[in-house]
Amino acid sequence: MELHEPELREVPVTAVLAALADDVRLQIVRALAEGGEYACGTFEFGVSKATRSHHLKVLREAGLTRTRVAGTSRCVRLRREELDRLYPGLLDAVLTAPAHS
Amino acid sequence: MELHEPELREVPVTAVLAALADDVRLQIVRALAEGGEYACGTFEFGVSKATRSHHLKVLREAGLTRTRVAGTSRCVRLRREELDRLYPGLLDAVLTAPAHS
DNA sequence: ACCCATGTTCGACTTTCATCGAACAAGCTC
DNA sequence: GAGCTTGTTCGATGAAAGTCGAACATGGGT
């Protein structure tokens, strides 16, 4: 299993923004911002595991997360430092934004 | 003609991000960030005027721009102060991001 | 070895969205 | 007022994206 984790600067800004412009993914990012590393299975956001897997793939390929393989599980974490370096203020702005509207 | 310009805090963050997650709209926002106020017709981004009108509507309804009616023309400007207040760092991060990838 | 748990991938379906031309509305200009 | 300019709105169309169940892959546990 090869995990495609692009260099952040090779990802179009629009892709990063698009990855964040989804309710489910934003919840995932918020959760990741709290704890350090999450097992994929700990996410329960009212979507099927297929959908969850899809969203985590989008986040990963947008350069937002890094995934570590641990047996049959995956451990996901935010690429916070890199993101803050390339897009200073972006994550903070999104995370401190009011959760509902 | 009534222009729907929502309160920024009533717009979901995802809507703001989605509005920015498009190449054409990002170009418009970049242009608006440079000059103060733009007549709608000055935008030429290789799309038809119908498409341009659509994108400006998306930006306006996401709370990103304010539009002033001037005869048959529209003058558009960024709601920079409000955006910086509610989402500090967001616009800067997006604007200073490398234009291509 | 068998079973189970965890994720991924594969269609399929539905919704959303970007795009356009054409029709329409509204205001200048002469 | 006739005509031009500027934008908006209206389908229509094609592409992208979210969602799911089912099938598959893989690794751990007993």
Side-chain angles (χ1 to χ4, degrees), chain B residues 74-94:
Chain B
R74 308 280 186 273
C75 282
V76 186
R77 67 179 193 278
L78 254 189
R79 295 170 67 174
R80 212 187 217 299
E81 293 77 13
E82 299 173 69
L83 284 162
D84 286 345
R85 201 178 321 132
L86 192 52
Y87 303 116
L90 205 177
L91 257 187
D92 284 333
V94 169

Side-chain angles (χ1 to χ4, degrees), chain B residues 7-18:
Chain B
E7 283 303 312
L8 207 42
R9 85 181 69 98
E10 289 173 4
V11 178
V13 197
T14 48
V16 177
L17 293 168

Side-chain angles (χ1 to χ4, degrees), chain A residues 1-60:
Chain A
M1 171 103 302
E2 313 160 2
L3 292 182
H4 181 221
E5 293 184 344
E7 283 301 314
L8 207 41
R9 87 180 69 99
E10 288 173 4
V11 178
V13 197
T14 48
V16 177
L17 293 168
L20 291 169
D22 178 275
D23 279 311
V24 177
R25 288 195 292 268
L26 201 49
Q27 287 182 60
I28 296 178
V29 169
R30 279 190 219 273
L32 288 174
E34 305 258 327
E37 202 174 44
Y38 270 63
C40 186
T42 44
F43 297 116
E44 277 305 334
F45 295 125
V47 293
S48 74
K49 63 176 180 176
T51 303
R52 173 172 21 105
S53 184
H54 162 69
H55 284 308
L56 287 171
K57 182 180 183 179
V58 172
L59 288 173
R60 173 165 29 89

Side-chain angles (χ1 to χ4, degrees), chain B residues 4 19 22 43 57-59 62-63 73 83-84 89 91 94 101:
Chain B
H4 183 221
D22 178 274
F43 298 115
K57 182 180 183 179
V58 172
L59 288 173
S73 299
L83 284 162
D84 286 345
L91 257 187
V94 169
S101 83

